[in-house]
Amino acid sequence: MEVQSSNITITEEEFGYSQQVIRKLSDYFDAKVVGQQQLKFSLIGSILADGHILIESVPGLAKTTAAKAISDAVDGKFARIQCTPDLLPGDIIGTQIYNQATGKFENILGPVFANFVLLDEVNRSSAKTQSAMLEAMQEKQVTIGGRSYRMPEDIFIVIATQNPIEQEGTYPLSEAQTDRFLIKEVITYPTAAEEVEILSRMETGAISRVDPPVLAIKDIDRVQDIVDKVYVDNAIKWYISSIVVASRRAGQIQGLEVGRYVRIGASPRASIAFLKMAKATALIQGRTYVTPEDVKQVSHQVLRHRIGLNYSAVADNVPVEAVIDALVNSVKAP
């Protein structure tokens, strides 16, 4: 199997290798988390697409467990940062400490210098602390005392979680911050059968058991290179662009009733996220080329944190996903 993409070819060996890596990630996740298949897809997709992911749900739905499971599958450096209102920027990126022996200030790097960084309950940290992650997430570097330090060259992925219910002691993420996340996943309650399975695994200790990693960082790095080679036809790129542009002029689209609810449309980062996630989706589903269905499949994850709704949407109880579906359906697929 060989597919041509801008003079870059995915070989049969590369395709088989990528499928093996994806299968190992999937199996490791399933061994630690019951259900939540959509979350698994989003986590694996964001890792393959080399992007950050924001996970939102009410407490107790295994956000942290899922993030830890997917990072434990890979033998890389993992850091968990529990966000609290008194967390300072220096607690994340590092700070300067005075060394009495030398009489000089020394830069001490923070926990953000890891392959996988879990920001637990990110909306509990102050806006000042949240902004400290902007440079790290976008530029893959931080500046301490006027000196810049690069993040890990191979893999650097931020997995952030937030609870939308509790408002006391929280600081909502700004649009500039959320736009840095490649995708946003919202998860719901498990089914009755899944909850019974959770109880059974708790009894046997399967959930709390620490299993060794099944992949190395170089495996993820290589598959990310393979994802870049996935073929995307120019018609698909126009399709992506048309959806994103439609979000910016939703109120002007004839017959689009929900267009009046859109306050602000998506930025060009949405188009980039669509392209990356559509490529990752194609490879996850065993293809080396992107289809319009791949774009539609990731539309909620890519757009739900990039489209701003007005107060009328809140008053009429219109979810952003309904607006996204209407926008996507208003654009003719190739």
Side-chain angles (χ1 to χ4, degrees), residues 17-327:
Y17 179 84
S18 66
Q19 296 304 295
Q20 184 181 27
V21 169
I22 292 169
R23 188 163 50 251
K24 286 182 177 180
L25 279 173
S26 178
D27 292 345
Y28 198 99
F29 181 94
D30 289 338
K32 295 295 181 182
V33 181
V34 177
Q36 302 296 2
Q37 293 302 296
Q38 185 60 46
L39 176 58
K40 178 178 74 172
F41 164 78
S42 294
L43 280 167
I44 294 177
S46 65
I47 289 174
L48 299 188
D50 193 19
H52 312 298
I53 177 173
L54 177 63
I55 306 171
E56 180 179 283
S57 82
V58 297
L61 297 191
K63 297 187 298 294
T64 304
T65 301
K68 187 71 166 61
I70 209 73
S71 57
D72 283 349
V74 185
D75 188 17
K77 187 176 180 182
F78 173 81
R80 176 182 176 180
I81 302 171
Q82 183 65 49
C83 296
T84 56
D86 60 347
L87 190 72
L88 298 175
D91 298 328
I92 295 178
I93 65 172
T95 188
Q96 288 187 307
I97 295 180
Y98 182 72
N99 189 328
Q100 289 185 331
T102 62
K104 298 180 180 179
F105 281 96
E106 296 180 356
N107 290 344
I108 305 299
L109 302 184
V112 74
F113 289 89
N115 298 116
F116 297 96
V117 179
L118 172 58
L119 289 177
D120 219 353
E121 295 189 294
V122 63
N123 56 332
R124 289 200 176 279
S125 60
S126 66
K128 183 178 182 180
T129 302
Q130 291 173 12
S131 66
M133 288 298 298
L134 286 177
E135 185 182 14
M137 293 173 65
Q138 185 64 32
E139 307 297 333
K140 293 198 173 183
Q141 70 173 31
V142 299
T143 303
I144 305 173
R147 182 178 175 184
S148 296
Y149 296 88
R150 298 290 301 173
M151 311 311 294
E153 290 293 336
D154 37 25
I155 303 295
F156 172 65
I157 292 176
V158 174
I159 304 172
T161 70
Q162 69 174 5
N163 172 8
I165 304 301
E166 295 181 33
Q167 300 301 324
E168 187 175 349
T170 64
Y171 304 83
L173 297 179
S174 67
E175 274 124 357
Q177 177 82 351
T178 56
D179 208 19
R180 262 67 176 186
F181 289 99
L182 184 74
I183 58 174
K184 176 183 177 180
E185 186 56 79
V186 176
I187 57 179
T188 56
Y189 289 108
T191 64
E194 289 171 345
E195 202 143 352
V196 170
E197 177 63 19
I198 292 171
L199 298 178
S200 298
R201 292 194 188 185
M202 287 295 295
E203 279 190 321
T204 61
I207 293 179
S208 58
R209 185 179 63 245
V210 179
D211 295 327
V214 292
L215 295 167
I217 284 294
K218 63 180 178 61
D219 294 319
I220 302 300
D221 200 24
R222 185 181 176 191
V223 175
Q224 287 180 349
D225 291 337
I226 297 172
V227 168
D228 289 338
K229 299 179 184 180
V230 171
Y231 176 73
V232 184
D233 192 83
N234 205 46
I236 299 291
K237 294 176 184 176
W238 273 102
Y239 181 50
I240 290 172
S241 176
S242 298
I243 293 173
V244 175
V245 170
S247 74
R248 301 170 192 158
R249 56 182 187 87
Q252 306 168 20
I253 298 177
Q254 191 72 23
L256 188 65
E257 293 296 325
V258 297
R260 60 191 177 93
Y261 295 120
V262 179
R263 175 176 56 86
I264 185 172
S267 73
R269 284 198 187 98
S271 297
I272 297 171
F274 260 127
L275 184 67
K276 289 184 174 182
M277 280 301 295
K279 286 185 173 186
T281 300
L283 204 61
I284 289 172
Q285 296 184 348
R287 283 182 280 102
T288 54
Y289 58 91
V290 172
T291 69
E293 289 304 316
D294 296 327
V295 177
K296 292 179 181 180
Q297 185 174 344
V298 298
S299 59
H300 287 180
Q301 291 93 327
V302 169
L303 293 177
R304 61 163 48 107
H305 59 302
R306 292 186 168 95
I307 292 180
L309 303 185
N310 54 32
Y311 289 112
S312 297
V314 178
D316 295 344
N317 197 28
V318 177
V320 68
E321 289 81 7
V323 176
I324 293 169
D325 288 338
L327 281 170

Side-chain angles (χ1 to χ4, degrees), residues 2-4 128:
E2 291 193 0
V3 176
Q4 195 73 15
K128 183 178 182 180

